[in-house]
């Protein structure tokens, strides 16, 4: 397995482009199952989660070709359904990526039946899918659990039937659950109302693509989405929205190293809760063009700090609240703030695996249930640490960039799930970060002489 070896204390400088969003691209790829026409997606990031989804779609009869050779041109992914006889998303793929669940709605709506392995939990929590199933049952699906698989059939193996469904759970709405029900409803008979829908920008991007394919959807981005079912959907050529979580991660990288970075293709309009907290911490996010002249989801901005980081309170919430996917990165930043910060995790109560590793690097964090109190320290120190889940690992990279000495981050395959060539991109703005095979480092995680 690969590790990252990071020499901390370097200032960063230069420009980074924000890639297409992983969490938008996954349901967009799944939506190609809804049509017999060709679908082209641009700026799909090159990540292991994306490759897993493409492998799954290949098994479900989708022909895929990707091109990203041309310098400065957006990558192109062309998809076309060539065989609709398969409807089983097998365990060995679903278990490696629980987001495979987002093929459930599209296959059921298009093929009348679907079998998807029940996704397991993961490092950040149990990850139930009861709301997905509630939503599809509301559209008439007959759902049973057989041998660890979700088996769903449309009534009389025909079309789903539009209805009203409440998708709220104990932690608010469900992003992929909303994607599943909204996608399925596009081909249902009649009107579907999704109450307590997820408002995330990735849902809006999916709705925009579905509308371009001929779906009739209003209200995406609000808690109430209304879908008028149609008989068929056509093809589309769609550009994936930029990744607001990657953007927030790079903003924290500039802040934690007291550097100035320019970000391009940055979805500032989709990350006001994060930039609000950055400004409160003393980090300046300055758009370099007038908002009105540019797509507010694809702006250029400069990140800078006054050198002093102020403590703040952060509570993760559904969008437009502070995103849980930036909690670990901001916690790493707050380890160096001048005072005590409080971070409360309301979406995934167990999402604190980064705390123990940050503590190994000299931070002072005390967790009480779903709240952590971070007492700022003057300096973090490099250490061998263990990546656990995608965003916790990103938090460790940020801490390592600001630490005195060498950090070795083990199991970086977690990072490769959500950040494309992270080491190359950070090195391009001055970080000392290298990918090595773990065999090249000593058992305690440092490099052999
Ligand atoms: C999406 O996961 C994202 N993944 C996650 O990002 C993100 O953390 C999450 O939304 C919340 O914003 C993708 O988009 C691929 P949820 P999703 O269903 O849709 C509970 C990353 O790092 N819940 O919105 O699976 C659930 O347990 C990943 O990029 C139910 O109770 O998350 C959680 O507490 C990690 N029943 C809350 O709702 C259900 O049926 C939100 O989960 C579904 C969810």
């Amino acid at each position: 397995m690969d590790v990252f070896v990071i020499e901390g204390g370097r200032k960063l400088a230069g420009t980074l482009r924000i890639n297409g969003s992983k969490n938008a691209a996954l349901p967009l790829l799944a939506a190609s199952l809804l049509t017999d026409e060709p679908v082209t997606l641009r700026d799909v990031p090159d990540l292991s989660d994306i490759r897993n989804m493409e492998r799954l779609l290949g098994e479900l009869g989708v022909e895929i070709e990707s091109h990203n050779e041309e310098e400065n041109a957006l990558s192109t992914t062309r998809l076309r359904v060539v065989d609709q006889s398969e409807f089983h998303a097998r365990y060995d793929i679903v278990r490696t990526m629980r987001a495979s669940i987002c093929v459930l709605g599209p296959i059921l709506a298009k093929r009348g039946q679907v079998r998807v392995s029940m996704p397991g939990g993961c490092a950040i929590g149990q990850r139930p899918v009861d709301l997905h199933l509630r939503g599809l049952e509301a559209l008439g699906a007959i759902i049973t659990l057989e041998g660890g698989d979700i088996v769903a059939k449309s009534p009389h193996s025909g079309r789903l039937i539009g209805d009203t469904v409440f998708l709220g759970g104990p932690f608010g709405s469900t992003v992929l659950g909303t994607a599943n029900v909204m996608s399925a409803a596009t081909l249902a008979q009649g009107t579907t109302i999704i109450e307590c829908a997820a408002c995330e920008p990735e849902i809006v991007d999916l709705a925009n693509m579905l509308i371009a394919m001929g779906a009739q959807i209003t209200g995406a981005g609000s808690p109430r989405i209304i879908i008028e079912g149609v008989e068929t959907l056509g093809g589309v050529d769609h550009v994936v929205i930029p990744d607001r979580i990657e953007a927030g991660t790079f903003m924290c990288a500039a802040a934690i190293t007291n550097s100035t970075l320019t970000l391009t293709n940055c979805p500032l309009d989709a990350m006001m809760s994060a930039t609000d907290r950055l400004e409160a911490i003393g980090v300046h996010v300055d758009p370099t063009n007038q908002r009105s002249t540019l797509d507010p989801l694809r702006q250029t901005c400069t990140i800078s700090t006054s050198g002093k980081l102020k403590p703040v309170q952060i509570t993760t919430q559904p969008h437009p609240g502070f995103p849980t996917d930036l909690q670990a990165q901001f916690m790493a930043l707050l380890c160096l703030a001048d005072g005590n910060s409080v971070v409360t995790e309301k979406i995934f109560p167990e999402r604190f695996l980064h705390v123990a590793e940050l503590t190994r690097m000299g931070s002072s964090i005390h967790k009480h249930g779903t709240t952590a109190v971070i007492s700022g320290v003057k300096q973090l120190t490099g250490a061998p640490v263990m990546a656990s889940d995608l965003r916790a690992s990103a938090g460790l990279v940020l801490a390592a960039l600001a630490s005195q000495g060498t950090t070795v981050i083990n199991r970086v395959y977690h990072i490769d799930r959500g950040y494309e060539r992270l080491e190359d991109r950070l090195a391009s703005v001055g970080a000392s970060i290298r990918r090595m095979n773990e065999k090249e480092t000593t058992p305690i995680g440092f490099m052999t002489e």
Side-chain angles (χ1 to χ4, degrees):
M1 282 188 268
D2 288 351
V3 301
F4 279 163
V5 179
I6 299 169
E7 298 299 336
R10 299 279 190 96
K11 271 208 181 280
L12 309 181
T15 299
L16 289 170
R17 178 191 185 271
I18 304 305
N19 287 343
S21 161
K22 164 181 85 81
N23 290 352
L26 289 168
L28 294 173
L29 286 163
S32 65
L33 292 159
L34 289 165
T35 177
D36 301 326
E37 303 300 318
V39 167
T40 298
L41 289 177
R42 299 179 192 278
D43 209 12
V44 173
D46 181 14
L47 302 168
S48 54
D49 269 10
I50 297 293
R51 291 190 290 274
N52 275 326
M53 175 60 81
E54 291 176 346
R55 188 157 64 95
L56 172 59
L57 291 175
E59 290 199 1
L60 293 166
V62 182
E63 221 164 55
I64 302 173
E65 52 175 79
S66 302
H67 304 281
N68 56 357
E69 293 84 24
E70 294 92 69
E71 190 65 24
N72 299 328
L74 295 183
S75 67
T76 303
T77 303
R78 290 196 172 81
L79 306 102
R80 178 155 205 168
V81 175
V82 293
D83 174 6
Q84 304 204 38
S85 59
E86 183 54 73
F87 49 83
H88 184 189
R90 291 183 301 107
Y91 172 71
D92 68 330
I93 296 188
V94 176
R95 73 180 169 85
T96 58
M97 188 192 58
R98 62 172 309 284
S100 314
I101 191 72
C102 62
V103 304
L104 184 66
I107 301 178
L108 176 62
K110 189 74 170 69
R111 302 182 188 180
Q113 58 179 327
V114 61
R115 186 180 188 116
V116 178
S117 171
M118 177 72 95
C122 69
I124 62 177
Q126 186 220 339
R127 309 300 293 273
V129 291
D130 56 310
L131 298 174
H132 298 239
L133 305 185
R134 177 203 293 177
L136 296 174
E137 281 174 334
L139 303 186
I142 298 115
I143 297 180
T144 53
L145 294 184
E146 294 170 28
D149 288 345
I150 299 162
V151 179
K153 290 187 173 67
S154 302
H156 321 300
S157 296
R159 287 174 74 183
L160 293 167
I161 300 150
D163 205 332
T164 296
V165 56
F166 178 75
L167 270 191
F171 301 95
S173 186
T174 162
V175 177
L176 290 183
T178 301
N180 257 327
V181 176
M182 180 170 71
S183 299
T186 60
L187 293 177
Q189 205 168 334
T191 305
T192 296
I193 298 175
I194 303 175
E195 187 56 51
C196 197
C199 303
E200 270 67 7
E202 293 75 29
I203 292 297
V204 176
D205 200 36
L206 174 61
N208 289 340
M209 177 175 136
L210 292 169
I211 290 165
M213 293 165 71
Q216 294 180 25
I217 301 172
T218 53
S222 82
R224 171 171 286 205
I225 302 177
I226 300 174
I227 304 108
E228 299 294 342
V230 295
E231 300 249 328
T232 56
L233 292 176
V236 66
D237 186 330
H238 181 81
V239 181
V240 181
I241 55 164
D243 192 323
R244 60 195 169 103
I245 305 305
E246 177 177 275
T249 305
F250 286 152
M251 290 176 179
C252 288
I256 204 168
T257 56
N258 189 17
S259 307
T260 298
L261 278 184
T262 297
L263 302 180
T264 61
N265 199 46
C266 189
L268 286 180
D269 201 53
M271 50 191 304
M272 290 187 199
S273 55
T275 52
D276 164 74
R277 292 296 81 199
L278 285 172
E279 293 289 349
I281 294 170
V283 181
H284 309 301
V285 181
D286 300 308
T288 46
N289 307 72
Q290 288 311 314
R291 176 188 148 103
S292 56
T293 59
L294 271 178
D295 175 348
L297 281 178
R298 292 176 175 84
Q299 291 188 266
T300 296
C301 61
T302 299
I303 316 301
S304 59
T305 72
S306 53
K308 203 168 155 55
L309 299 174
K310 289 175 262 179
V312 295
Q313 292 210 22
I314 289 176
T315 299
T316 66
Q317 299 171 71
H319 192 79
F322 187 91
T324 175
D325 291 350
L326 283 176
Q327 183 255 100
Q329 298 92 316
F330 273 71
M331 187 181 287
L333 177 60
L334 292 170
C335 289
L336 292 172
D338 185 16
N340 294 336
S341 300
V342 180
V343 171
T344 302
E345 174 58 60
K346 290 272 192 191
I347 307 296
F348 294 110
E350 295 156 48
R351 196 173 204 172
F352 287 105
L353 290 171
H354 40 289
V355 170
E357 300 307 299
L358 290 171
T359 304
R360 285 175 51 74
M361 299 174 78
S363 68
S364 172
I365 304 171
H366 296 86
K367 186 168 113 48
H368 310 276
T370 61
T371 293
V373 177
I374 302 102
S375 306
V377 295
K378 287 274 173 274
Q379 178 67 56
L380 293 173
T381 48
V385 290
M386 191 68 74
S388 54
D389 72 272
L390 166 55
R391 307 302 177 183
S393 317
L396 298 181
V397 170
L398 298 176
L401 292 176
S403 292
Q404 195 166 32
T406 307
T407 298
V408 176
I409 300 181
N410 295 282
R411 300 185 182 170
V412 294
Y413 61 83
H414 289 292
I415 296 175
D416 295 335
R417 291 189 45 217
Y419 295 90
E420 188 176 332
R421 296 181 304 104
L422 184 63
E423 71 276 22
D424 297 341
R425 296 159 80 196
L426 288 175
S428 75
V429 290
S432 168
I433 174 171
R434 279 180 297 157
R435 179 187 294 262
M436 296 177 76
N437 182 292
E438 63 180 350
K439 295 189 182 62
E440 295 171 84
T441 61
T442 60
I444 58 163
F446 285 97
M447 282 191 302
T448 48
E449 290 308 313

